[in-house]
Amino acid sequence: MRRILVPSVALTLPLTACSAGGHARPVFPDPERGKVVSFALGELSTHYDVNYAVAGSAHSSSLAWDRSGDVFMMNASKYFDLLRMTPQGKVSRFAHISYPTVARGMAATPDGGVMIGGDSGLIQVDSKGGFGPVQTSYQFADPRPIGARSDGSVIILDGRSVWALKDGKATSLYGKPGGPREGLGTVDESGTAYVQPTGQTLADMLVLPPGKDPHRLQISGNLPGTRIPISGLSPSSLAPARGGGFYAMATSSIGNSANYTYYVIHIRETTGTVLIKATHDRICPTGQQYPALESPCVMPWFVTQLGDQVLVMGSSTMSGKTVPALAVRADTE
């Protein structure tokens, strides 16, 4: 389902100076309002393989976001580097992790560290890169941290249940223990957790505000130029948005065909704003810009906000070529 392209409009990107810590010379992209730009994610670092850190899919790699705006990236096997990228695009190694099996899911914690989970349990990485197992009051089967609240509690998915973990004490927020690994999620600035069941649409998304009853996401309106309701999109990646709400990388298909349309959308309360729409399957040459709502570029796996931009990154190679990352401005007004 991955795809290849011929560009139309060329634009030369500016360059920044080199700096220490694995930051390479090519710049961080600066798209115009209403445009999406294709750029080489791997060129942000000469020391670390950023493409590998987000390669594969949302099931084999993970991203996490802290309140300073940094993004943590991992492609987890038994031994892996946990990378950190600043809002300016500077990449460094945060920690080198040894995990018994494959890790799935992580969340930045308020103390400056990261919590990582998978079928071998939870480990805590401190702010200096040291790590060790997390002792909990409940024995998780396959915990996946998705974010943290301001009170220090980490929200964790475990099978079909949702938990808040603070100081080792696990509190059930939703669902029943047991069942297969399911869903993805994120936590926004208000501490509201959003949990998306696998294979379902935004209409099935579970919203868990702090101190309030869980409910399904209520979102109105259609996708621009269509009669397709935004609630009918199927998300495959979620990330918190600065200023509230969250971003989703989501798809829609026409009938039972394989004609997919890919979207990056910002959802806040009951409103959805489309930032990128892509219907083509081609590799865009780096350094070029296209209309954001008619993008011809392959849409990678992960969406994340970094500074004033929203990035889409994480596809593996296609036809022997690395799929470039995409960037669009977070402010659409």
Side-chain angles (χ1 to χ4, degrees):
M1 205 187 295
R2 294 287 171 203
R3 339 163 211 166
I4 302 187
L5 163 156
V6 182
S8 55
V9 182
L11 182 78
T12 302
L13 294 178
L15 296 177
T16 60
C18 299
S19 62
H23 191 53
R25 183 172 181 176
V27 215
F28 207 56
D30 184 20
E32 300 172 14
R33 182 174 280 107
K35 298 290 184 68
V36 61
V37 62
S38 176
F39 73 101
L41 181 70
E43 292 184 3
L44 293 177
S45 175
T46 56
H47 290 70
Y48 307 109
D49 192 340
V50 190
N51 281 319
Y52 177 76
V54 291
S57 73
H59 299 292
S60 61
S61 296
S62 293
L63 270 65
W65 309 264
D66 70 13
R67 292 177 184 171
S68 68
D70 292 346
V71 174
F72 297 89
M73 304 170 284
M74 73 172 183
N75 189 336
S77 54
K78 295 183 71 171
Y79 302 94
F80 59 91
D81 283 338
L82 177 58
L83 302 183
R84 176 169 57 188
M85 181 162 59
T86 70
Q88 294 74 38
K90 181 179 179 180
V91 177
S92 60
R93 186 173 76 173
F94 182 68
H96 182 71
I97 306 295
S98 174
Y99 192 80
T101 56
V102 176
R104 288 182 293 268
M106 66 175 172
T109 51
D111 59 4
V114 172
M115 187 176 290
I116 297 173
D119 56 10
S120 292
L122 294 163
I123 62 171
Q124 178 70 48
V125 186
D126 65 30
S127 60
K128 296 182 179 179
F131 63 92
V134 178
Q135 302 300 319
T136 63
S137 62
Y138 172 77
Q139 186 63 45
F140 295 105
D142 186 12
R144 284 176 297 150
I146 62 169
R149 290 175 167 171
S150 58
D151 67 356
S153 60
V154 178
I155 306 303
I156 294 175
L157 306 186
D158 188 43
R160 295 178 180 176
S161 57
V162 185
W163 300 77
L165 180 67
K166 183 178 181 181
D167 299 328
K169 181 181 179 181
T171 302
S172 176
L173 299 181
Y174 184 85
K176 298 179 180 179
R181 182 167 59 90
E182 180 179 296
L184 61 147
T186 193
V187 180
D188 73 8
E189 289 185 346
S190 73
T192 297
Y194 302 88
V195 179
Q196 179 66 45
T198 301
Q200 302 299 307
T201 67
L202 285 168
D204 302 296
M205 176 176 279
L206 181 67
V207 182
L208 298 98
K212 298 181 181 180
D213 292 336
H215 61 270
R216 298 295 172 181
L217 180 68
Q218 300 293 320
I219 182 168
S220 60
N222 296 334
L223 294 168
T226 77
R227 295 183 178 179
I228 301 172
I230 293 173
S231 61
L233 291 176
S234 298
S236 57
S237 175
L238 304 174
R242 190 178 65 193
F246 64 96
Y247 294 104
M249 206 292 282
T251 59
S252 68
S253 62
I254 301 174
N256 295 320
S257 72
N259 296 322
Y260 288 91
T261 302
Y262 297 78
Y263 295 91
V264 170
I265 185 167
H266 177 211
I267 296 174
R268 187 172 184 180
E269 297 179 349
T270 61
T271 303
T273 303
V274 175
L275 277 67
I276 304 175
K277 173 187 175 184
T279 56
H280 299 279
D281 230 356
R282 300 173 178 177
I283 293 180
C284 291
T286 58
Q288 300 200 11
Q289 298 195 36
Y290 306 89
L293 297 183
E294 291 296 335
S295 171
C297 307
V298 175
M299 192 81 87
W301 294 107
F302 293 105
V303 61
T304 184
Q305 184 168 2
L306 200 67
D308 295 327
Q309 300 175 30
V310 176
L311 307 187
V312 197
M313 56 190 186
S315 289
S316 56
T317 58
M318 183 177 80
S319 302
K321 297 180 180 180
T322 299
V323 174
L326 303 175
V328 68
R329 289 179 62 147
D331 61 315
T332 56
E333 298 179 356

